[in-house]
Amino acid sequence: MLVVLAVLAAGCDWSHYRGGPTLAGVAIESTLGVGNVASLGERWRGKGPDAGLFDSPVVTGGRVYTSQAVYDVNGGASCVGTPKACDPLWTLPAASVLAPTTVAGGRQYRVPRSTGQGTLSAFDAAGIEGCSGVPKVCQPVRSWKHVFREVSDDVLSMTAPVVAGSTLYGAGFAQGVVADLSSDAGCTGAPAVCPVAWSAIGQSQSVGVGPFGAAAVANGTLYLTGANAPGGQLRAGLYAFDAAGVEGCSGSPRACTARWTGDLGVPLDVGTAEGSTAPVVDGVVYVVASWETGPPPPGQTNATGAAKVVAFDAAGVQGCGGSPRVCQPLWSAPLAGNAGNVWTAPAVAAGRLYVPTESGVEVFDAKGVTGCSGSPKVCAPVATMSFGSAVGTRGGLTIANGVAYVGARDGLYAFDAYLSQGCGGTPLVCQPLVHALGGTNVTTPAVIAGQVHVLSDGQVVTLGLP
């Protein structure tokens, strides 16, 4: 049942970052598999403006969308060279955008960084309304603006917008913001500028939403990772809100406090700490928490750090108590390597949790049984997928038809997700079936219809079979 639910959540395209509002990271695919993935080769690459290093492509309706440009899924007619370099069908106005885009209901949504306020913008996903010129540029057809509390500098909007039903969920560095797509109430101007329906805040200060992830929505709950200050001590946490914006909400403009908070056990007195994209699958929500533990080693720019994966009861019942309600992990696991700078998205499929780290992917029993012991429960990986060196992650991991595709700071890797081909030893270690685009920053792959779409150093690259 777990696999079926995860696949259905992804749908038949990849129009959302991580495949859908639950962020499971599982794609429907029947052409590419373990038996032929080693034959992947570059089909075409984009010539349009560079997307951000943490952006990831989404694919729907025969098009590949980034936060800056839109392409024909096969490259289109305007391509030159070998391998083909293709012009975009159209571009969006230049902006500093760090987060992936989302396409839903005929619109493309993006969140650029801004100063003191956040702006969710909607564009015509067909490239008609609001679009003009040669080459074509599309302007927003609607936007939602919100002034964030307790933030005077840049709003580092590094989380992808997510659409669930008729509601748009987005997040900046300071808060989660929610817009009602079914109503034009309060909208003014042309193109329309609309107020947000409500915002998500912490118990005692604004939720500092963890970067490089997205809001997850499942079973009537909105999940955000961030930081809060319960009892005056700043800590990283998982925050669960009523997705309908009713429970725990008040004021005008309306603001909502969390139904419950998941304690990641990471005080922010040693530097920065953050939570990643949090997939919600089969009643469990998973968060990768990373934090700084010291200054950079000599000759390096990244601070020394550590990380762990933490699993919570998605219903906020097991291991939870108090008022405000705080939940303790069902289980946790330390992640290997200098993981304080792991900016990544895990995936959940076939009863396993796949977590990219600095040197590969650690695979855990998603239920926290195999390889787990103690109280509180701590788990060891059931297998490791090895990059061969500590190249570090930049994007995330996508599971498609038994293959685990990983975006890293040294290209695209693919492994047997079932831990068979290329795997051996005790403990079990798997070697890559594919390593492509080496030496480039590759973000979370989108896999659909026999093609793998990634951003490589900010440019769209599509790979497929010969």
Side-chain angles (χ1 to χ4, degrees):
M1 180 63 74
L2 173 63
V3 178
V4 173
L5 289 176
V7 168
L8 289 178
C12 296
D13 56 12
W14 196 259
S15 59
H16 280 73
Y17 176 65
R18 309 307 298 137
T22 65
L23 311 181
V26 180
I28 290 177
E29 171 60 22
S30 59
T31 301
L32 291 171
V34 171
N36 61 8
V37 71
S39 298
L40 274 179
E42 183 174 329
R43 289 279 189 83
W44 62 273
R45 63 176 54 215
K47 291 167 54 181
D50 285 356
L53 284 178
F54 307 106
D55 195 357
S56 296
V58 297
V59 184
T60 185
R63 301 186 184 99
V64 180
Y65 295 80
T66 76
S67 64
Q68 305 290 347
V70 181
Y71 296 86
D72 183 286
V73 75
N74 294 311
S78 180
C79 302
V80 296
T82 304
K84 295 192 300 183
C86 304
D87 290 323
L89 299 173
W90 65 86
T91 61
L92 277 58
S96 176
V97 183
L98 300 177
T101 189
T102 286
V103 178
R107 287 178 174 165
Q108 177 184 2
Y109 300 93
R110 75 172 185 180
V111 186
R113 65 187 295 175
S114 56
T115 301
Q117 68 176 10
T119 303
L120 284 162
S121 297
F123 301 82
D124 179 10
I128 299 173
E129 184 182 358
C131 305
S132 62
V134 180
K136 186 190 292 186
V137 179
C138 293
Q139 302 296 328
V141 296
R142 181 178 289 190
S143 61
W144 297 262
K145 293 188 177 181
H146 180 67
V147 177
F148 291 102
R149 302 180 184 184
E150 303 178 25
V151 172
S152 58
D153 56 355
D154 280 355
V155 175
L156 300 179
S157 299
M158 294 186 250
T159 56
V162 171
V163 176
S166 61
T167 306
L168 171 65
Y169 300 89
F173 187 75
Q175 291 181 8
V177 293
V178 182
D180 182 3
L181 302 180
S182 66
S183 172
D184 289 329
C187 300
T188 59
V193 177
C194 306
V196 299
W198 54 275
S199 61
I201 62 174
Q203 302 291 351
S204 58
Q205 70 171 47
S206 299
V207 173
V209 176
F212 318 115
V217 183
N219 299 319
T221 302
L222 166 67
Y223 301 88
L224 296 173
T225 57
N228 198 10
Q233 183 183 36
L234 192 62
R235 298 180 73 86
L238 171 72
Y239 298 87
F241 299 86
D242 175 12
V246 176
E247 182 182 342
C249 305
S250 62
S252 181
R254 188 163 26 134
C256 303
T257 56
R259 285 171 162 170
W260 55 270
T261 300
D263 186 2
L264 299 179
V266 184
L268 301 190
D269 55 3
V270 292
T272 62
E274 57 206 25
S276 74
T277 294
V280 186
V281 177
D282 200 28
V284 181
V285 54
Y286 304 89
V287 183
V288 176
S290 60
W291 63 98
E292 295 177 4
T293 59
Q300 298 187 27
T301 57
N302 289 333
T304 303
K308 62 182 176 180
V309 59
V310 186
F312 294 95
D313 175 14
V317 175
Q318 188 173 346
C320 306
S323 182
R325 192 171 188 78
V326 177
C327 296
Q328 300 304 316
L330 301 175
W331 60 269
S332 65
L335 297 175
N338 176 23
N341 294 295
V342 173
W343 302 326
T344 187
V348 186
R352 297 188 180 106
L353 169 69
Y354 301 80
V355 185
T357 70
E358 288 285 303
S359 57
V361 178
E362 295 194 7
V363 185
F364 299 90
D365 175 6
K367 286 297 186 182
V369 177
T370 303
C372 305
S373 62
S375 182
K377 186 183 291 185
V378 177
C379 297
V382 297
T384 299
M385 299 171 172
S386 175
F387 292 152
S389 62
V391 300
T393 56
R394 177 62 74 185
L397 183 146
T398 300
I399 304 291
N401 195 26
V403 180
Y405 300 87
V406 193
R409 284 191 287 234
D410 184 34
L412 171 71
Y413 291 82
F415 298 88
D416 181 356
Y418 295 128
L419 311 179
S420 178
Q421 188 167 323
C423 305
T426 304
L428 189 64
V429 177
C430 299
Q431 303 302 321
L433 306 175
V434 171
H435 179 207
L437 304 173
T440 69
N441 285 301
V442 171
T443 60
T444 305
V447 185
I448 180 171
Q451 294 185 326
V452 180
H453 309 272
V454 298
L455 289 180
S456 170
D457 282 347
Q459 286 288 335
V460 171
V461 177
T462 293
L463 301 97
L465 297 175

Short mmCIF file of all heavy atoms in Angstrom, two decimals, residues 377-443:
data_model
loop_
_atom_site.label_atom_id
_atom_site.label_comp_id
_atom_site.label_asym_id
_atom_site.label_seq_id
_atom_site.Cartn_x
_atom_site.Cartn_y
_atom_site.Cartn_z
N LYS A 377 14.68 6.14 20.50
CA LYS A 377 15.12 5.20 19.47
C LYS A 377 16.05 5.89 18.47
O LYS A 377 15.76 6.97 17.96
CB LYS A 377 13.91 4.64 18.73
CG LYS A 377 14.25 3.54 17.72
CD LYS A 377 13.02 3.08 16.97
CE LYS A 377 12.05 2.34 17.86
NZ LYS A 377 10.90 1.79 17.09
N VAL A 378 17.19 5.24 18.21
CA VAL A 378 18.16 5.71 17.23
C VAL A 378 18.37 4.61 16.19
O VAL A 378 18.49 3.43 16.55
CB VAL A 378 19.50 6.08 17.89
CG1 VAL A 378 20.52 6.49 16.84
CG2 VAL A 378 19.29 7.21 18.91
N CYS A 379 18.40 4.98 14.91
CA CYS A 379 18.49 4.01 13.83
C CYS A 379 19.80 4.14 13.06
O CYS A 379 20.35 5.24 12.92
CB CYS A 379 17.33 4.20 12.86
SG CYS A 379 15.69 3.92 13.59
N ALA A 380 20.27 3.02 12.56
CA ALA A 380 21.41 2.97 11.66
C ALA A 380 20.90 2.67 10.26
O ALA A 380 19.86 2.02 10.09
CB ALA A 380 22.40 1.89 12.11
N PRO A 381 21.61 3.12 9.22
CA PRO A 381 21.14 2.84 7.86
C PRO A 381 21.18 1.35 7.54
O PRO A 381 22.05 0.62 8.02
CB PRO A 381 22.12 3.62 6.98
CG PRO A 381 23.31 3.88 7.83
CD PRO A 381 22.82 3.95 9.23
N VAL A 382 20.23 0.89 6.73
CA VAL A 382 20.23 -0.49 6.27
C VAL A 382 21.14 -0.64 5.05
O VAL A 382 21.53 -1.76 4.70
CB VAL A 382 18.81 -0.97 5.93
CG1 VAL A 382 17.93 -0.94 7.17
CG2 VAL A 382 18.19 -0.12 4.81
N ALA A 383 21.50 0.47 4.41
CA ALA A 383 22.41 0.45 3.28
C ALA A 383 22.90 1.88 3.03
O ALA A 383 22.29 2.85 3.48
CB ALA A 383 21.74 -0.09 2.03
N THR A 384 24.00 1.97 2.30
CA THR A 384 24.56 3.26 1.90
C THR A 384 24.81 3.24 0.40
O THR A 384 25.38 2.28 -0.13
CB THR A 384 25.87 3.56 2.63
OG1 THR A 384 25.62 3.61 4.04
CG2 THR A 384 26.44 4.90 2.18
N MET A 385 24.39 4.29 -0.30
CA MET A 385 24.71 4.47 -1.71
C MET A 385 25.87 5.46 -1.78
O MET A 385 25.77 6.58 -1.29
CB MET A 385 23.50 5.02 -2.47
CG MET A 385 22.30 4.09 -2.44
SD MET A 385 20.82 4.88 -3.13
CE MET A 385 19.68 3.47 -3.17
N SER A 386 26.98 5.06 -2.36
CA SER A 386 28.22 5.82 -2.25
C SER A 386 28.51 6.66 -3.49
O SER A 386 28.48 6.15 -4.62
CB SER A 386 29.39 4.85 -2.01
OG SER A 386 30.62 5.55 -2.00
N PHE A 387 28.84 7.94 -3.28
CA PHE A 387 29.36 8.78 -4.35
C PHE A 387 30.81 8.44 -4.67
O PHE A 387 31.32 8.81 -5.72
CB PHE A 387 29.29 10.26 -3.98
CG PHE A 387 27.90 10.83 -3.87
CD1 PHE A 387 27.66 11.90 -3.03
CD2 PHE A 387 26.85 10.32 -4.60
CE1 PHE A 387 26.38 12.46 -2.92
CE2 PHE A 387 25.58 10.86 -4.50
CZ PHE A 387 25.35 11.94 -3.66
N GLY A 388 31.50 7.83 -3.71
CA GLY A 388 32.91 7.55 -3.87
C GLY A 388 33.80 8.58 -3.21
O GLY A 388 34.98 8.33 -2.96
N SER A 389 33.27 9.76 -2.91
CA SER A 389 33.99 10.81 -2.18
C SER A 389 32.95 11.77 -1.64
O SER A 389 31.78 11.71 -1.98
CB SER A 389 34.98 11.53 -3.10
OG SER A 389 34.31 12.17 -4.16
N ALA A 390 33.40 12.68 -0.80
CA ALA A 390 32.48 13.62 -0.16
C ALA A 390 32.23 14.81 -1.08
O ALA A 390 32.74 15.91 -0.87
CB ALA A 390 33.03 14.08 1.18
N VAL A 391 31.42 14.60 -2.12
CA VAL A 391 31.16 15.66 -3.08
C VAL A 391 30.05 16.59 -2.62
O VAL A 391 29.95 17.73 -3.07
CB VAL A 391 30.81 15.08 -4.46
CG1 VAL A 391 31.94 14.23 -4.99
CG2 VAL A 391 29.53 14.26 -4.42
N GLY A 392 29.19 16.13 -1.72
CA GLY A 392 28.13 16.98 -1.18
C GLY A 392 26.89 17.04 -2.04
O GLY A 392 26.94 16.89 -3.25
N THR A 393 25.75 17.24 -1.40
CA THR A 393 24.48 17.35 -2.10
C THR A 393 24.12 18.80 -2.34
O THR A 393 24.45 19.69 -1.58
CB THR A 393 23.36 16.68 -1.29
OG1 THR A 393 23.32 17.27 0.01
CG2 THR A 393 23.58 15.19 -1.18
N ARG A 394 23.42 19.03 -3.43
CA ARG A 394 22.95 20.36 -3.76
C ARG A 394 21.44 20.37 -3.94
O ARG A 394 20.79 21.37 -3.69
CB ARG A 394 23.63 20.84 -5.05
CG ARG A 394 23.17 22.19 -5.54
CD ARG A 394 23.46 23.30 -4.56
NE ARG A 394 24.87 23.65 -4.53
CZ ARG A 394 25.39 24.52 -3.69
NH1 ARG A 394 24.63 25.12 -2.81
NH2 ARG A 394 26.67 24.79 -3.71
N GLY A 395 20.88 19.27 -4.37
CA GLY A 395 19.45 19.22 -4.61
C GLY A 395 18.78 18.17 -3.76
O GLY A 395 18.64 18.32 -2.55
N GLY A 396 18.39 17.08 -4.38
CA GLY A 396 17.68 16.06 -3.64
C GLY A 396 17.63 14.77 -4.43
O GLY A 396 18.35 14.60 -5.42
N LEU A 397 16.75 13.88 -4.00
CA LEU A 397 16.68 12.53 -4.55
C LEU A 397 15.27 12.23 -5.02
O LEU A 397 14.30 12.56 -4.35
CB LEU A 397 17.13 11.54 -3.48
CG LEU A 397 17.20 10.06 -3.85
CD1 LEU A 397 18.35 9.41 -3.10
CD2 LEU A 397 15.90 9.35 -3.52
N THR A 398 15.17 11.60 -6.19
CA THR A 398 13.89 11.20 -6.76
C THR A 398 13.91 9.71 -7.06
O THR A 398 14.86 9.22 -7.68
CB THR A 398 13.60 11.99 -8.06
OG1 THR A 398 13.57 13.39 -7.77
CG2 THR A 398 12.27 11.57 -8.66
N ILE A 399 12.86 9.00 -6.64
CA ILE A 399 12.73 7.57 -6.92
C ILE A 399 11.79 7.39 -8.11
O ILE A 399 10.68 7.95 -8.13
CB ILE A 399 12.15 6.81 -5.71
CG1 ILE A 399 13.02 7.04 -4.46
CG2 ILE A 399 12.02 5.32 -6.03
CD1 ILE A 399 14.36 6.39 -4.52
N ALA A 400 12.21 6.62 -9.12
CA ALA A 400 11.37 6.37 -10.29
C ALA A 400 11.66 4.98 -10.83
O ALA A 400 12.79 4.71 -11.25
CB ALA A 400 11.63 7.43 -11.37
N ASN A 401 10.68 4.09 -10.79
CA ASN A 401 10.76 2.75 -11.37
C ASN A 401 12.00 2.00 -10.88
O ASN A 401 12.73 1.38 -11.65
CB ASN A 401 10.77 2.85 -12.90
CG ASN A 401 10.50 1.51 -13.57
OD1 ASN A 401 9.86 0.63 -13.00
ND2 ASN A 401 10.98 1.35 -14.80
N GLY A 402 12.23 2.05 -9.58
CA GLY A 402 13.32 1.29 -8.98
C GLY A 402 14.68 1.92 -9.06
O GLY A 402 15.69 1.30 -8.68
N VAL A 403 14.76 3.16 -9.55
CA VAL A 403 16.04 3.87 -9.63
C VAL A 403 15.99 5.09 -8.72
O VAL A 403 14.99 5.82 -8.70
CB VAL A 403 16.35 4.31 -11.08
CG1 VAL A 403 17.70 5.05 -11.14
CG2 VAL A 403 16.38 3.10 -12.01
N ALA A 404 17.08 5.31 -7.98
CA ALA A 404 17.22 6.49 -7.14
C ALA A 404 18.14 7.48 -7.84
O ALA A 404 19.33 7.20 -8.04
CB ALA A 404 17.79 6.12 -5.78
N TYR A 405 17.59 8.63 -8.28
CA TYR A 405 18.35 9.66 -8.97
C TYR A 405 18.70 10.76 -7.97
O TYR A 405 17.82 11.28 -7.27
CB TYR A 405 17.54 10.27 -10.11
CG TYR A 405 17.12 9.29 -11.18
CD1 TYR A 405 15.95 8.53 -11.06
CD2 TYR A 405 17.89 9.11 -12.32
CE1 TYR A 405 15.56 7.64 -12.05
CE2 TYR A 405 17.51 8.21 -13.32
CZ TYR A 405 16.34 7.48 -13.17
OH TYR A 405 15.96 6.60 -14.15
N VAL A 406 19.98 11.15 -7.91
CA VAL A 406 20.44 12.10 -6.90
C VAL A 406 21.16 13.26 -7.57
O VAL A 406 22.08 13.05 -8.37
CB VAL A 406 21.40 11.43 -5.90
CG1 VAL A 406 21.61 12.35 -4.69
CG2 VAL A 406 20.91 10.07 -5.47
N GLY A 407 20.76 14.48 -7.24
CA GLY A 407 21.49 15.67 -7.67
C GLY A 407 22.53 16.02 -6.63
O GLY A 407 22.24 16.09 -5.44
N ALA A 408 23.77 16.26 -7.07
CA ALA A 408 24.86 16.54 -6.14
C ALA A 408 25.74 17.65 -6.69
O ALA A 408 25.54 18.13 -7.82
CB ALA A 408 25.69 15.27 -5.90
N ARG A 409 26.75 18.05 -5.91
CA ARG A 409 27.66 19.10 -6.36
C ARG A 409 28.69 18.58 -7.34
O ARG A 409 29.54 19.34 -7.79
CB ARG A 409 28.34 19.75 -5.14
CG ARG A 409 27.42 20.70 -4.40
CD ARG A 409 28.16 21.53 -3.38
NE ARG A 409 28.54 20.74 -2.23
CZ ARG A 409 28.25 21.06 -0.98
NH1 ARG A 409 27.56 22.15 -0.74
NH2 ARG A 409 28.64 20.31 0.02
N ASP A 410 28.62 17.29 -7.68
CA ASP A 410 29.49 16.73 -8.70
C ASP A 410 28.67 15.92 -9.69
O ASP A 410 29.06 14.84 -10.11
CB ASP A 410 30.58 15.85 -8.06
CG ASP A 410 31.58 15.32 -9.08
OD1 ASP A 410 31.86 16.05 -10.05
OD2 ASP A 410 32.06 14.18 -8.92
N GLY A 411 27.49 16.45 -10.05
CA GLY A 411 26.73 15.83 -11.11
C GLY A 411 25.52 15.05 -10.67
O GLY A 411 25.03 15.16 -9.54
N LEU A 412 25.02 14.22 -11.60
CA LEU A 412 23.84 13.37 -11.39
C LEU A 412 24.30 11.94 -11.16
O LEU A 412 25.09 11.39 -11.94
CB LEU A 412 22.94 13.43 -12.63
CG LEU A 412 21.77 12.44 -12.67
CD1 LEU A 412 20.71 12.84 -11.66
CD2 LEU A 412 21.18 12.38 -14.08
N TYR A 413 23.79 11.33 -10.11
CA TYR A 413 24.07 9.93 -9.80
C TYR A 413 22.76 9.14 -9.87
O TYR A 413 21.69 9.68 -9.55
CB TYR A 413 24.66 9.79 -8.40
CG TYR A 413 26.05 10.34 -8.24
CD1 TYR A 413 26.26 11.70 -8.02
CD2 TYR A 413 27.17 9.51 -8.28
CE1 TYR A 413 27.53 12.22 -7.87
CE2 TYR A 413 28.45 10.02 -8.12
CZ TYR A 413 28.62 11.38 -7.92
OH TYR A 413 29.88 11.88 -7.76
N ALA A 414 22.85 7.86 -10.24
CA ALA A 414 21.69 6.97 -10.20
C ALA A 414 22.10 5.64 -9.58
O ALA A 414 23.17 5.11 -9.89
CB ALA A 414 21.14 6.75 -11.61
N PHE A 415 21.24 5.12 -8.68
CA PHE A 415 21.50 3.88 -7.96
C PHE A 415 20.28 2.97 -8.07
O PHE A 415 19.17 3.41 -8.35
CB PHE A 415 21.76 4.15 -6.48
CG PHE A 415 22.96 5.01 -6.18
CD1 PHE A 415 22.83 6.40 -6.15
CD2 PHE A 415 24.20 4.45 -5.93
CE1 PHE A 415 23.93 7.21 -5.87
CE2 PHE A 415 25.29 5.24 -5.65
CZ PHE A 415 25.16 6.62 -5.61
N ASP A 416 20.50 1.68 -7.81
CA ASP A 416 19.41 0.73 -7.71
C ASP A 416 18.69 0.97 -6.38
O ASP A 416 19.23 0.71 -5.31
CB ASP A 416 19.96 -0.70 -7.76
CG ASP A 416 18.86 -1.76 -7.68
OD1 ASP A 416 17.67 -1.40 -7.51
OD2 ASP A 416 19.20 -2.95 -7.76
N ALA A 417 17.46 1.48 -6.45
CA ALA A 417 16.72 1.81 -5.23
C ALA A 417 16.34 0.57 -4.43
O ALA A 417 16.07 0.65 -3.23
CB ALA A 417 15.45 2.60 -5.58
N TYR A 418 16.35 -0.62 -5.10
CA TYR A 418 16.01 -1.86 -4.41
C TYR A 418 17.23 -2.52 -3.78
O TYR A 418 17.13 -3.63 -3.26
CB TYR A 418 15.32 -2.82 -5.38
CG TYR A 418 13.98 -2.32 -5.86
CD1 TYR A 418 13.70 -2.26 -7.22
CD2 TYR A 418 13.01 -1.87 -4.97
CE1 TYR A 418 12.47 -1.80 -7.68
CE2 TYR A 418 11.78 -1.41 -5.41
CZ TYR A 418 11.52 -1.37 -6.76
OH TYR A 418 10.30 -0.90 -7.21
N LEU A 419 18.40 -1.86 -3.87
CA LEU A 419 19.62 -2.29 -3.16
C LEU A 419 20.12 -3.64 -3.63
O LEU A 419 20.58 -4.47 -2.85
CB LEU A 419 19.37 -2.32 -1.65
CG LEU A 419 18.71 -1.07 -1.03
CD1 LEU A 419 18.51 -1.26 0.46
CD2 LEU A 419 19.53 0.17 -1.32
N SER A 420 20.05 -3.87 -4.95
CA SER A 420 20.51 -5.14 -5.51
C SER A 420 21.69 -4.93 -6.46
O SER A 420 22.83 -5.25 -6.13
CB SER A 420 19.36 -5.85 -6.22
OG SER A 420 19.79 -7.05 -6.80
N GLN A 421 21.43 -4.36 -7.65
CA GLN A 421 22.48 -4.21 -8.64
C GLN A 421 23.52 -3.19 -8.18
O GLN A 421 23.19 -2.08 -7.79
CB GLN A 421 21.90 -3.78 -9.98
CG GLN A 421 22.92 -3.79 -11.12
CD GLN A 421 22.25 -3.67 -12.47
OE1 GLN A 421 21.17 -4.20 -12.71
NE2 GLN A 421 22.89 -2.96 -13.39
N GLY A 422 24.79 -3.60 -8.22
CA GLY A 422 25.87 -2.73 -7.80
C GLY A 422 26.05 -2.65 -6.30
O GLY A 422 26.84 -1.83 -5.81
N CYS A 423 25.35 -3.51 -5.55
CA CYS A 423 25.38 -3.46 -4.09
C CYS A 423 26.03 -4.72 -3.52
O CYS A 423 25.86 -5.82 -4.06
CB CYS A 423 23.97 -3.31 -3.51
SG CYS A 423 23.07 -1.87 -4.16
N GLY A 424 26.74 -4.59 -2.42
CA GLY A 424 27.33 -5.75 -1.78
C GLY A 424 28.02 -5.37 -0.49
O GLY A 424 28.15 -4.20 -0.13
N GLY A 425 28.51 -6.41 0.24
CA GLY A 425 29.25 -6.20 1.47
C GLY A 425 28.38 -6.13 2.69
O GLY A 425 27.15 -6.11 2.63
N THR A 426 29.04 -6.10 3.85
CA THR A 426 28.37 -5.94 5.15
C THR A 426 29.15 -4.91 5.96
O THR A 426 30.31 -5.15 6.27
CB THR A 426 28.33 -7.27 5.91
OG1 THR A 426 27.70 -8.27 5.11
CG2 THR A 426 27.56 -7.12 7.21
N PRO A 427 28.59 -3.74 6.26
CA PRO A 427 27.24 -3.29 5.88
C PRO A 427 27.11 -3.09 4.37
O PRO A 427 28.10 -2.92 3.67
CB PRO A 427 27.09 -1.99 6.66
CG PRO A 427 28.49 -1.49 6.84
CD PRO A 427 29.33 -2.72 7.03
N LEU A 428 25.87 -3.09 3.87
CA LEU A 428 25.59 -3.05 2.45
C LEU A 428 25.94 -1.68 1.88
O LEU A 428 25.48 -0.65 2.37
CB LEU A 428 24.11 -3.35 2.21
CG LEU A 428 23.67 -3.56 0.76
CD1 LEU A 428 24.36 -4.80 0.18
CD2 LEU A 428 22.16 -3.72 0.70
N VAL A 429 26.74 -1.68 0.80
CA VAL A 429 27.13 -0.46 0.12
C VAL A 429 26.82 -0.62 -1.37
O VAL A 429 27.15 -1.65 -1.96
CB VAL A 429 28.62 -0.13 0.31
CG1 VAL A 429 29.01 1.12 -0.48
CG2 VAL A 429 28.94 0.08 1.79
N CYS A 430 26.20 0.39 -1.97
CA CYS A 430 25.84 0.36 -3.39
C CYS A 430 26.67 1.37 -4.17
O CYS A 430 26.87 2.51 -3.72
CB CYS A 430 24.35 0.68 -3.57
SG CYS A 430 23.24 -0.48 -2.74
N GLN A 431 27.14 0.97 -5.34
CA GLN A 431 27.88 1.85 -6.23
C GLN A 431 26.93 2.41 -7.29
O GLN A 431 25.94 1.78 -7.64
CB GLN A 431 29.02 1.08 -6.90
CG GLN A 431 29.99 0.44 -5.93
CD GLN A 431 30.62 1.45 -4.98
OE1 GLN A 431 30.96 2.56 -5.39
NE2 GLN A 431 30.77 1.06 -3.70
N PRO A 432 27.25 3.58 -7.85
CA PRO A 432 26.32 4.20 -8.82
C PRO A 432 26.24 3.42 -10.12
O PRO A 432 27.25 2.90 -10.62
CB PRO A 432 26.91 5.60 -9.03
CG PRO A 432 28.33 5.51 -8.59
CD PRO A 432 28.37 4.47 -7.52
N LEU A 433 25.04 3.36 -10.67
CA LEU A 433 24.83 2.82 -12.01
C LEU A 433 25.16 3.87 -13.06
O LEU A 433 25.50 3.54 -14.20
CB LEU A 433 23.37 2.37 -12.18
CG LEU A 433 22.83 1.39 -11.13
CD1 LEU A 433 21.35 1.14 -11.36
CD2 LEU A 433 23.62 0.09 -11.15
N VAL A 434 25.03 5.14 -12.68
CA VAL A 434 25.27 6.26 -13.58
C VAL A 434 25.94 7.38 -12.80
O VAL A 434 25.57 7.64 -11.64
CB VAL A 434 23.95 6.80 -14.19
CG1 VAL A 434 24.18 8.11 -14.94
CG2 VAL A 434 23.34 5.78 -15.12
N HIS A 435 26.91 8.04 -13.41
CA HIS A 435 27.42 9.33 -12.93
C HIS A 435 27.57 10.21 -14.15
O HIS A 435 28.45 9.99 -14.98
CB HIS A 435 28.74 9.18 -12.19
CG HIS A 435 29.29 10.49 -11.72
ND1 HIS A 435 30.64 10.71 -11.52
CD2 HIS A 435 28.67 11.67 -11.41
CE1 HIS A 435 30.83 11.95 -11.11
NE2 HIS A 435 29.65 12.54 -11.03
N ALA A 436 26.69 11.19 -14.29
CA ALA A 436 26.68 12.08 -15.45
C ALA A 436 26.84 13.53 -15.01
O ALA A 436 26.62 13.86 -13.84
CB ALA A 436 25.38 11.91 -16.23
N LEU A 437 27.22 14.39 -15.94
CA LEU A 437 27.34 15.83 -15.70
C LEU A 437 28.32 16.13 -14.58
O LEU A 437 28.14 17.06 -13.78
CB LEU A 437 25.97 16.45 -15.40
CG LEU A 437 24.89 16.23 -16.45
CD1 LEU A 437 23.54 16.73 -15.95
CD2 LEU A 437 25.27 16.92 -17.76
N GLY A 438 29.38 15.33 -14.48
CA GLY A 438 30.37 15.50 -13.42
C GLY A 438 30.98 16.89 -13.41
O GLY A 438 31.16 17.53 -14.46
N GLY A 439 31.28 17.37 -12.21
CA GLY A 439 31.88 18.68 -12.06
C GLY A 439 30.90 19.83 -12.07
O GLY A 439 31.30 20.99 -12.00
N THR A 440 29.58 19.54 -12.14
CA THR A 440 28.57 20.60 -12.13
C THR A 440 27.63 20.41 -10.95
O THR A 440 27.45 19.30 -10.45
CB THR A 440 27.74 20.61 -13.43
OG1 THR A 440 26.89 19.45 -13.48
CG2 THR A 440 28.64 20.63 -14.65
N ASN A 441 27.03 21.51 -10.51
CA ASN A 441 26.01 21.46 -9.47
C ASN A 441 24.69 21.02 -10.09
O ASN A 441 24.15 21.71 -10.96
CB ASN A 441 25.82 22.84 -8.84
CG ASN A 441 26.95 23.20 -7.91
OD1 ASN A 441 27.20 22.50 -6.93
ND2 ASN A 441 27.64 24.29 -8.20
N VAL A 442 24.18 19.87 -9.66
CA VAL A 442 22.93 19.35 -10.19
C VAL A 442 21.88 19.34 -9.08
O VAL A 442 22.14 18.89 -7.97
CB VAL A 442 23.12 17.93 -10.75
CG1 VAL A 442 21.78 17.29 -11.11
CG2 VAL A 442 24.01 17.97 -11.99
N THR A 443 20.69 19.84 -9.40
CA THR A 443 19.62 19.92 -8.41
C THR A 443 18.68 18.72 -8.56
O THR A 443 18.94 17.80 -9.32
CB THR A 443 18.85 21.24 -8.54
OG1 THR A 443 18.29 21.33 -9.84
CG2 THR A 443 19.78 22.42 -8.31
#
